[in-house]
């Protein structure tokens, strides 16, 4: 089970959305993997940063969205559309 608070800085939106059933299964370790060793990265026009990491346990890519500061996690979800 993941620890609370998480081991990374996050927004209130992230904390709230993590309570959803489809987001509760996302492990802190997976998010940390995307933060530290992303498969891909894209900077949005608003400055937010998208990072993806492959998660073998679920055979999917996790998208983590950071605020423009490059540190604060705003969103994290298993991305159905991403292809490397």
């Amino acid at each position: 089970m993941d620890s609370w608070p998480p081991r990374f800085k996050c927004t209130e939106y992230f904390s709230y959305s993590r309570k959803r059933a489809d987001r509760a299964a996302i492990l802190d370790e997976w998010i940390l993997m995307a933060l530290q060793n992303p498969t891909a990265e894209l900077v949005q026009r608003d400055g937010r940063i998208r990072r993806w990491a492959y998660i073998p346990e679920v055979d999917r890519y996790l998208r983590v969205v950071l605020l423009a500061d490059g540190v604060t996690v705003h969103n994290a979800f298993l991305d159905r559309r991403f292809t490397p």
Side-chain angles (χ1 to χ4, degrees), residues 1-33:
M1 181 172 218
D2 276 344
S3 60
W4 193 259
R7 294 176 282 170
F8 43 82
K9 190 175 175 183
C10 63
T11 62
E12 286 186 40
Y13 172 80
F14 174 81
S15 298
Y16 176 77
S17 68
R18 193 118 191 240
K19 296 174 186 172
R20 292 178 34 184
D22 63 327
R23 308 279 174 100
I26 296 172
L27 302 178
D28 284 357
E29 288 77 21
W30 298 351
I31 295 169
L32 289 169
M33 185 184 337

Side-chain angles (χ1 to χ4, degrees), residues 5-66:
R7 294 176 282 170
F8 43 82
K9 190 175 175 183
C10 63
T11 62
E12 286 186 40
Y13 172 80
F14 174 81
S15 298
Y16 176 77
S17 68
R18 193 118 191 240
K19 296 174 186 172
R20 292 178 34 184
D22 63 327
R23 308 279 174 100
I26 296 172
L27 302 178
D28 284 357
E29 288 77 21
W30 298 351
I31 295 169
L32 289 169
M33 185 184 337
L35 296 178
Q36 297 167 356
N37 192 22
T39 302
E41 179 177 290
L42 174 74
V43 179
Q44 301 176 175
R45 286 187 200 186
D46 64 2
R48 290 184 180 175
I49 303 162
R50 296 179 188 177
R51 289 187 181 161
W52 290 267
Y54 178 71
I55 309 301
E57 293 90 337
V58 292
D59 192 28
R60 303 260 299 273
Y61 283 88
L62 177 71
R63 181 194 302 187
V64 176
V65 179
L66 303 171

